[in-house]
Amino acid sequence: MTMCGTENPTSNNKTSCVSPANGNGMTLPSFPSDHVLNLEQGDPTVFESYWRKMGDKCTMVISGSELMSYISDFTSVCWFLEPALEAAVRRFHRTVGNAVVDGDRHIVVGTGSTQLYQAALYALTSPGRSEPVSVVSAAPYYSSYPDETDYLCSALYKWTGDAYAFNKTRHGPYIEVVNTPNNPDGTLREAVVKNRSDQGKLIHDLAYYWPQYTPITRPADHDIMYFTFSKSTGHAGSRIGWAIVKDREVARKMSKFVELSSLGVSKDSQQRAAKIMGVICDGYENCKSTDNSELFFDHCHQIMGNRWERLRKVVEQSEVFSLPNYPKKYCIFFGDSVEPYPAFAWMEAEEDVDTEKVLRGQIKVQGRTGRRFGVDQRYVRISMLSREDVFNHFLERLSTITSVTNGH
Amino acid sequence: MTMCGTENPTSNNKTSCVSPANGNGMTLPSFPSDHVLNLEQGDPTVFESYWRKMGDKCTMVISGSELMSYISDFTSVCWFLEPALEAAVRRFHRTVGNAVVDGDRHIVVGTGSTQLYQAALYALTSPGRSEPVSVVSAAPYYSSYPDETDYLCSALYKWTGDAYAFNKTRHGPYIEVVNTPNNPDGTLREAVVKNRSDQGKLIHDLAYYWPQYTPITRPADHDIMYFTFSKSTGHAGSRIGWAIVKDREVARKMSKFVELSSLGVSKDSQQRAAKIMGVICDGYENCKSTDNSELFFDHCHQIMGNRWERLRKVVEQSEVFSLPNYPKKYCIFFGDSVEPYPAFAWMEAEEDVDTEKVLRGQIKVQGRTGRRFGVDQRYVRISMLSREDVFNHFLERLSTITSVTNGH
């Protein structure tokens, strides 16, 4: 059996990947029914078609002698942050209205938000405590938090699991990660640990707080919040994330982490991110003369809406799964009341089964089990961000399921 | 006072950097004498002039829709390694002859060699030991090893310092990092901990094992060895390193580390590195028709030789410092007996003074003290890789020193 779409980077079972996974813009062959459709990761290849349509507008050209130095700007708290990216990030957020970047806000660039999550843990802790600081997030939580927190067995911090459980027992100093909209379930989140004191600190993971996924209700304004190029524009391969940080000393420590971890962040990708963000912003600034469907967030919101509509139809007809319902909210970006279209479908089986296994067994679709997110195996997370043909095959196969106990 | 050249990323004293630090290829203004020349880091901007001369040959063009996925090749042990980079790395080493890449050798890409050093520590240790594994390197050792080992207070491994001291006392399981040619002192190194058993493992840091710095005496063939784009071609801003690993399971664990640390490595920079390596290899493959001074390693070897010759002359005349002498060796790449021209000058004062302070105080030159490398303050490390004008000013200022106790 071969695996189509993308395969699980965190698992060890390597299988070959057929040509549909190559994003070369060619017409893709149809998938044989025994090919596994991989919808386990949130690989954002759905947005490739938009960028292909943009043609040369975003083409990045770097000569052999450019961007060679380690250093970008020594006057900055984050000395390896390209000034062009810093300016583009601030402009991007001003255009979208999803984060406060004016006033005393520091930008720290990271090799994806993965590195920034760890930079934030490092910045909020100090050596010399008798116990590591607890790191918690409300279940269902992003499945990579536990491993990314614990893989080096740090004495600084330690994954402690569901923030709701922590709230009840109170274990001393902690960091709560608030992921909103939440991966995997798309809900809007606030901190859940109550009676927070000096003992508790917050990190806001806003990877999905972009108009294609969720109504932008206000500019986020938290102490430490981070975003990523992967989920905002779909450029996961560039590994660019950025944090917006209020406290200068926290920003300095986060930068120090990135320095110790990788001596900075690819300047090639920083410049590419700056260029692409700029093209999106240019589009909205000139939007009177532009067909709205050519504007990035408008276009992608339509794609996501279309996928969600089709998915809901199939799920309703099958009567064996359910999906969360998300209330419409007023979006300050679109200037209208809009429905959330999360990056993942958080599917629950109506019966008590291992839904990941059911999908893999019955229709050769690879999702990620709820257990990885700290909840029940009845849940499975399915990526909504695959290429169109993979998504279409997924719906086609899903529509054939009439019972979750069939064939088991 | 302002700082010219580059400033220390690891220190907190931020000072402004005047225009000579911008690598824009313009004629640079001369430096006022109160401007600090920063020769503390090994920022390899010396090679910019070569790449400018190459014009468009290495220009990288990336359209907006390319390289968007997280994934490069799921059939590879290192799923985020671009196949083009893997092929380029193998070809590069075959061209230079400095490392064995054929047979069963796995390539793991990292965000610079900084990340690969940590990936190797992770791969060679396991949770659940009562004590962290000791990490040692013979003094003078690279000044970043201690911090990069200890910043997360890992229970897996712990910096234990000078490998010579470890050898005498024997503390149980250890990892020895062999940096050859060695940063800071340019010496050729072998492991120094004796009676190695199953208790001891080796990591070879070969960042400087390239023909412009040292005679290539044989293809290196160690269990884990890593190289970096920064020091091989001078492209530090791209943050690309690669490890060559014999054992598949070690390569898999190193890849897992990079996955957990940053979910892969910039594809933009991987492709750029592949392109630039390819241009160098093309040059040598077609070298009968090419003027040798246009070939990368030949050209850069000449530049380094010229700098070292001029530096030695100034140091000899001053009579207050000394430099190591490096024996000529037969270089299989140049097919001739050649002198090493290390990336750093490891200067020792003839009297017992803090040489870093002397240089900073008397001539406004920032080096890095021997103390940071685990040895005496009489030593200072000076980068030989700055832009030409900075190096020229350095020599001019150095020639004015007649006594290390003057002015103190």
Side-chain angles (χ1 to χ4, degrees):
Chain A
M1 185 190 299
T2 54
M3 177 80 89
C4 300
T6 59
E7 207 232 5
N8 178 12
T10 62
S11 78
N12 297 326
N13 55 324
K14 294 279 174 284
T15 50
S16 68
C17 197
V18 298
S19 58
N22 299 328
N24 52 15
M26 297 186 312
T27 305
L28 299 166
S30 66
F31 299 111
S33 61
D34 68 339
H35 278 183
V36 174
L37 297 182
N38 185 354
L39 297 168
E40 194 189 339
Q41 295 82 38
D43 202 27
T45 45
V46 58
F47 304 126
E48 275 176 2
S49 59
Y50 175 84
W51 294 113
R52 265 199 301 276
K53 277 199 342 184
M54 289 297 102
D56 285 345
K57 269 190 197 168
C58 297
T59 297
M60 184 72 207
V61 179
I62 313 171
S63 83
S65 64
E66 288 178 299
L67 309 176
M68 290 183 65
S69 169
Y70 287 102
I71 296 142
S72 297
D73 175 8
F74 263 134
T75 64
S76 168
V77 167
C78 184
W79 59 265
F80 45 82
L81 167 61
E82 288 285 279
L85 179 61
E86 174 164 11
V89 158
R90 291 186 197 268
R91 183 183 175 208
F92 200 28
H93 286 296
R94 282 186 207 111
T95 299
V96 175
N98 61 341
V100 174
V101 286
D102 294 306
D104 219 8
R105 298 296 188 286
H106 306 280
I107 309 290
V108 178
V109 65
T111 309
S113 61
T114 300
Q115 192 177 45
L116 291 169
Y117 167 68
Q118 295 168 62
L121 297 182
Y122 174 78
L124 295 180
T125 56
S126 302
R129 307 191 73 97
S130 59
E131 289 289 321
V133 171
S134 298
V135 181
V136 298
S137 189
Y141 43 71
Y142 175 38
S143 49
S144 292
Y145 291 149
D147 285 349
E148 286 173 17
T149 310
D150 284 347
Y151 69 123
L152 289 175
C153 306
S154 173
L156 300 177
Y157 47 76
K158 185 177 168 45
W159 178 252
T160 313
D162 187 5
Y164 288 113
F166 187 84
N167 192 26
K168 286 180 199 137
T169 53
R170 300 226 188 84
H171 303 282
Y174 71 93
I175 295 167
E176 179 175 356
V177 197
V178 181
N179 185 201
T180 181
N182 189 47
N183 171 1
D185 68 355
T187 54
L188 297 181
R189 290 278 186 91
E190 292 188 352
V192 307
V193 180
K194 302 296 179 202
N195 305 318
R196 206 162 67 243
S197 62
D198 286 351
Q199 298 265 75
K201 288 170 182 164
L202 297 180
I203 297 172
H204 280 79
D205 178 344
L206 304 187
Y208 299 93
Y209 192 47
W210 295 98
Q212 68 268 50
Y213 306 118
T214 195
I216 304 302
T217 55
R218 63 172 108 66
D221 189 21
H222 307 289
D223 289 346
I224 303 176
M225 47 190 182
Y226 57 74
F227 295 87
T228 159
F229 195 35
S230 307
K231 297 310 192 296
S232 53
T233 69
H235 292 83
S238 295
R239 312 306 313 118
I240 295 292
W242 63 94
I244 304 168
V245 181
K246 285 186 186 173
D247 185 81
R248 187 184 167 87
E249 179 57 19
V250 170
R252 197 196 59 74
K253 273 191 84 176
M254 289 181 70
S255 300
K256 186 74 190 172
F257 176 93
V258 176
E259 179 188 321
L260 289 165
S261 167
S262 59
L263 207 41
V265 174
S266 165
K267 285 187 176 183
D268 311 318
S269 291
Q270 288 190 59
Q271 289 287 345
R272 189 177 180 215
K275 175 144 198 169
I276 288 171
M277 290 173 190
V279 168
I280 294 175
C281 293
D282 288 348
Y284 282 100
E285 280 178 17
N286 304 323
C287 67
K288 279 173 192 155
S289 61
T290 313
D291 171 11
N292 268 13
S293 74
E294 285 195 8
L295 297 173
F296 178 74
F297 293 113
D298 287 69
H299 181 90
C300 297
H301 188 250
Q302 280 172 24
I303 293 178
M304 295 300 295
N306 175 277
R307 288 194 174 185
W308 270 95
E309 194 184 326
R310 290 155 62 206
L311 173 68
R312 286 198 187 276
K313 217 169 267 173
V314 171
V315 167
E316 275 160 30
Q317 281 167 0
S318 80
E319 294 181 347
V320 290
F321 302 108
S322 65
L323 287 167
N325 285 307
Y326 304 101
K328 274 193 172 187
K329 293 207 172 187
Y330 186 80
C331 174
I332 57 171
F333 179 75
F334 288 126
D336 201 358
S337 181
V338 300
E339 211 174 308
Y341 302 129
F344 298 99
W346 185 237
M347 289 173 56
E348 182 185 1
E350 299 293 340
E351 293 184 51
D352 185 13
V353 292
D354 181 335
T355 310
E356 181 193 297
K357 267 198 183 163
V358 168
L359 294 184
R360 173 92 188 199
Q362 286 199 37
I363 59 169
K364 307 276 184 280
V365 165
Q366 185 65 53
R368 188 174 290 175
T369 174
R371 288 193 310 274
R372 295 276 307 280
F373 304 91
V375 296
D376 199 272
Q377 64 171 11
R378 281 169 71 150
Y379 291 93
V380 69
R381 191 194 76 170
I382 296 286
S383 171
M384 296 293 284
L385 303 182
S386 69
R387 295 192 181 96
E388 187 67 10
D389 58 335
V390 175
F391 186 74
N392 292 342
H393 277 271
F394 161 63
L395 288 190
E396 203 180 295
R397 294 187 190 183
L398 189 66
S399 67
T400 65
I401 297 190
T402 51
S403 159
V404 289
T405 49
N406 263 1
H408 282 264
Chain B
M1 185 191 293
T2 54
M3 178 79 89
C4 300
T6 59
E7 208 232 4
N8 177 12
T10 62
S11 78
N12 297 324
N13 55 323
K14 295 277 175 286
T15 50
S16 68
C17 197
V18 298
S19 58
N22 299 327
N24 51 16
M26 297 185 313
T27 306
L28 299 165
S30 66
F31 298 112
S33 61
D34 68 339
H35 279 184
V36 173
L37 297 183
N38 186 355
L39 296 168
E40 193 188 340
Q41 295 81 40
D43 202 26
T45 45
V46 59
F47 304 127
E48 274 176 3
S49 59
Y50 175 85
W51 295 113
R52 263 198 303 275
K53 277 200 340 185
M54 289 298 102
D56 284 345
K57 270 191 196 167
C58 296
T59 298
M60 185 71 207
V61 179
I62 312 169
S63 82
S65 64
E66 288 179 299
L67 308 176
M68 289 183 67
S69 170
Y70 287 102
I71 297 141
S72 297
D73 176 8
F74 264 132
T75 64
S76 168
V77 167
C78 184
W79 59 265
F80 45 82
L81 168 61
E82 287 285 279
L85 179 61
E86 174 163 12
V89 159
R90 292 188 196 267
R91 182 183 174 207
F92 200 28
H93 285 296
R94 282 186 207 111
T95 299
V96 175
N98 62 340
V100 174
V101 286
D102 294 307
D104 219 7
R105 299 296 188 287
H106 306 281
I107 310 290
V108 178
V109 65
T111 310
S113 60
T114 300
Q115 192 177 44
L116 291 169
Y117 166 68
Q118 296 167 62
L121 298 182
Y122 175 78
L124 295 179
T125 56
S126 302
R129 304 193 77 96
S130 59
E131 289 290 321
V133 172
S134 298
V135 181
V136 298
S137 189
Y141 44 71
Y142 175 39
S143 50
S144 291
Y145 290 150
D147 285 349
E148 285 172 18
T149 310
D150 284 347
Y151 69 122
L152 289 176
C153 306
S154 173
L156 300 177
Y157 46 77
K158 186 178 167 44
W159 178 252
T160 314
D162 187 5
Y164 289 111
F166 187 84
N167 192 26
K168 286 180 198 136
T169 54
R170 298 227 188 84
H171 303 284
Y174 71 92
I175 296 168
E176 179 175 355
V177 196
V178 181
N179 184 201
T180 182
N182 188 47
N183 171 3
D185 68 356
T187 55
L188 297 181
R189 290 279 187 89
E190 292 189 351
V192 307
V193 180
K194 303 295 179 203
N195 306 317
R196 207 163 66 242
S197 63
D198 285 351
Q199 298 264 74
K201 290 171 181 164
L202 298 180
I203 297 172
H204 280 78
D205 177 345
L206 304 187
Y208 299 94
Y209 193 47
W210 296 98
Q212 68 268 52
Y213 307 118
T214 195
I216 303 303
T217 55
R218 63 172 106 66
D221 189 21
H222 306 288
D223 290 346
I224 303 175
M225 47 191 180
Y226 58 74
F227 295 87
T228 158
F229 195 34
S230 307
K231 297 310 191 294
S232 53
T233 69
H235 292 84
S238 294
R239 313 306 312 118
I240 293 293
W242 62 95
I244 304 168
V245 181
K246 284 186 185 172
D247 185 79
R248 188 184 166 87
E249 179 57 19
V250 170
R252 198 197 58 76
K253 272 192 84 176
M254 288 181 71
S255 300
K256 187 72 189 173
F257 176 93
V258 176
E259 179 188 321
L260 289 165
S261 167
S262 59
L263 207 40
V265 174
S266 164
K267 285 187 175 182
D268 310 318
S269 291
Q270 288 190 58
Q271 289 287 346
R272 190 178 178 213
K275 175 144 200 169
I276 287 171
M277 290 173 190
V279 168
I280 293 175
C281 295
D282 288 348
Y284 283 100
E285 280 177 17
N286 304 323
C287 66
K288 280 175 192 153
S289 62
T290 312
D291 171 10
N292 268 13
S293 73
E294 284 193 10
L295 297 173
F296 178 73
F297 292 113
D298 288 69
H299 181 90
C300 296
H301 188 249
Q302 279 171 26
I303 294 179
M304 295 302 293
N306 175 279
R307 288 194 175 185
W308 270 94
E309 193 184 325
R310 290 155 65 206
L311 174 66
R312 287 199 186 275
K313 216 168 268 172
V314 171
V315 166
E316 274 160 29
Q317 282 168 358
S318 81
E319 294 182 345
V320 291
F321 302 108
S322 65
L323 287 167
N325 285 308
Y326 304 102
K328 275 193 171 187
K329 295 208 172 184
Y330 185 79
C331 173
I332 58 172
F333 179 75
F334 288 125
D336 201 357
S337 180
V338 299
E339 210 174 308
Y341 301 130
F344 297 100
W346 184 236
M347 290 172 58
E348 183 185 0
E350 298 294 340
E351 293 183 52
D352 185 13
V353 291
D354 182 334
T355 309
E356 180 193 298
K357 267 197 184 163
V358 168
L359 294 184
R360 174 92 188 198
Q362 285 198 37
I363 60 170
K364 307 276 183 284
V365 165
Q366 184 66 53
R368 188 174 290 176
T369 174
R371 289 194 309 276
R372 295 278 307 280
F373 303 91
V375 296
D376 200 272
Q377 63 172 12
R378 280 168 71 150
Y379 291 92
V380 68
R381 190 193 77 170
I382 296 287
S383 170
M384 296 292 285
L385 304 182
S386 69
R387 296 193 179 94
E388 187 69 8
D389 59 333
V390 174
F391 186 74
N392 292 342
H393 277 272
F394 162 62
L395 289 190
E396 202 179 297
R397 294 186 190 182
L398 189 66
S399 68
T400 64
I401 298 190
T402 52
S403 159
V404 288
T405 50
N406 263 0
H408 282 264

